[in-house]
């Protein structure tokens, strides 16, 4: 009886933990995806990285148009087709191309650029629209 009760409580706790995490997670929106690669001038500088990450997180927390976002750093490339030369990667999704256009001129985005533009020497952007859902 104790084993059954313990198993039930364990499964219930696991279920509620997973369910809670799913509630916090915003679904990825494939309507419009904005992918940014950033090369910092001094990628080994902890001070520059700390300043950049703080400003980037502040910006994303205050963006009115970005639906979901992802911030990444390159892993060590193990294949010739993988480019690991960038310092940061940002992926932001939008509900439409129009929302992405408004994001470009929103105050939070402009403040981020002003705060960090002296930190990078290259920024490369790829935008894409999702294919029409034919399923």
């Amino acid at each position: 009886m104790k084993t059954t009760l313990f198993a039930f409580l364990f499964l219930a706790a696991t279920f509620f933990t997973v369910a809670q995490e799913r509630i916090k997670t915003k679904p990825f929106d494939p309507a419009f995806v904005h992918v940014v690669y950033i090369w910092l001038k001094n990628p080994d500088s902890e001070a520059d990285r700390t300043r950049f990450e703080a400003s980037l997180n502040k910006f994303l927390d205050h963006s009115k148009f970005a639906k979901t976002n992802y911030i990444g750093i390159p892993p060590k490339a193990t294949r010739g087709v993988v480019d690991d030369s960038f310092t940061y990667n940002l992926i932001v999704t939008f509900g439409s191309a129009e929302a992405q256009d408004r994001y470009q001129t929103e105050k939070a985005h402009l403040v981020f650029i002003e705060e960090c533009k002296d930190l990078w020497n290259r920024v490369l952007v790829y935008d894409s629209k999702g294919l029409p859902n034919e399923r």
Side-chain angles (χ1 to χ4, degrees), residues 4 11 15-16 24 27 31 42-44 52 58 60 63 66 74-75 78 91-92 104 112 122 124-126 130:
T4 305
L11 289 173
F15 170 78
F16 286 116
K24 292 179 190 175
N42 301 303
D44 296 327
F52 178 82
K58 179 179 71 173
L60 292 170
S63 176
T78 58
I91 302 172
V92 183
Q104 290 299 325
F112 164 70
R122 182 176 181 208
L124 181 61
V125 177
Y126 294 98

Side-chain angles (χ1 to χ4, degrees), residues 8-91:
F8 172 76
L9 291 174
F10 177 77
L11 289 173
T14 301
F15 170 78
F16 286 116
T17 301
V18 170
Q20 214 171 18
E21 286 303 312
R22 286 190 178 185
I23 290 169
K24 292 179 190 175
T25 304
K26 295 178 188 176
F28 181 83
D29 188 337
F32 195 96
V33 179
H34 181 67
V35 181
V36 183
Y37 292 92
I38 300 161
W39 286 260
L40 294 185
K41 291 177 186 174
N42 301 303
D44 296 327
S45 167
E46 274 305 312
D48 286 4
R49 283 179 172 270
T50 298
R51 184 174 138 208
F52 178 82
E53 290 175 20
S55 183
L56 179 60
N57 282 305
K58 179 179 71 173
F59 151 51
L60 292 170
D61 287 345
H62 292 93
S63 176
K64 298 174 189 170
F65 303 103
K67 291 182 84 174
T68 61
N69 65 73
Y70 164 86
I71 303 169
I73 57 174
K76 178 70 178 140
T78 58
R79 299 176 296 141
V81 297
V82 177
D83 178 358
D84 66 354
S85 66
F86 60 95
T87 314
Y88 289 96
N89 166 238
L90 171 65
I91 302 172

Side-chain angles (χ1 to χ4, degrees), residues 30-33 97 127-132:
F32 195 96
V33 179
D127 288 337
S128 63
K129 298 186 312 181
L131 292 174

Side-chain angles (χ1 to χ4, degrees), residues 85-109:
S85 66
F86 60 95
T87 314
Y88 289 96
N89 166 238
L90 171 65
I91 302 172
V92 183
T93 64
F94 300 92
S96 67
E98 294 77 26
Q100 194 273 343
D101 284 342
R102 289 190 296 261
Y103 151 95
Q104 290 299 325
T105 58
E106 75 175 322
K107 183 178 180 181
H109 187 236

